[in-house]
Amino acid sequence: MAGRPSKANQKIVKKLMQALAANPEGLWVRELARITKLDKSTVSLYLRKWLWEDLEIFHGSPKPFKLVRLKAYKHDELGHGMVPTTEKEAVASYIG
């Protein structure tokens, strides 16, 4: 059966998170695709569907261009607020 996967492929998530952690200033979606050797449509899908809560997305002046980087904050364990986080902690939450 063809179509979109119902859950994220952890190898793809790991590639994306490692590339973002290695570039804390952020990456354009096209460059993130080039670095991870994934199709830019796949990268966009993963960013939009499975990783959006941990990312900051900045749109460029021509709308199709997006700069993506890991957020500097995460929800605390009790869900009562936001606490600072490092890129290493953000990647570890996804790839263990």
Side-chain angles (χ1 to χ4, degrees):
M1 223 184 219
R4 291 186 178 171
S6 59
K7 64 181 190 175
N9 178 324
Q10 292 305 305
K11 288 181 182 178
I12 293 175
V13 169
K14 183 177 181 177
K15 279 183 175 183
L16 293 170
M17 294 301 284
Q18 287 176 331
L20 288 168
N23 295 281
E25 70 285 350
L27 292 168
W28 298 107
V29 172
R30 187 177 294 253
E31 183 150 359
L32 184 55
R34 184 186 59 75
I35 289 169
T36 58
K37 297 183 171 109
L38 297 167
D39 186 85
K40 63 183 170 61
S41 296
T42 301
V43 171
S44 291
L45 174 71
Y46 272 75
L47 296 178
R48 185 177 62 250
K49 191 167 182 181
W50 288 293
L51 302 176
W52 64 271
E53 289 182 330
D54 294 312
L55 302 175
E56 293 178 317
I57 299 174
F58 304 94
H59 292 281
S61 53
K63 195 69 167 166
F65 297 101
K66 292 185 217 174
L67 179 69
V68 181
R69 68 179 183 197
L70 293 174
K71 282 185 180 176
Y73 294 91
K74 65 178 180 178
H75 292 282
D76 68 4
E77 292 162 6
L78 300 174
H80 297 299
M82 302 293 279
V83 294
T85 187
T86 64
E87 284 84 10
K88 201 176 214 181
E89 290 173 329
V91 173
S93 72
Y94 276 94
I95 61 175

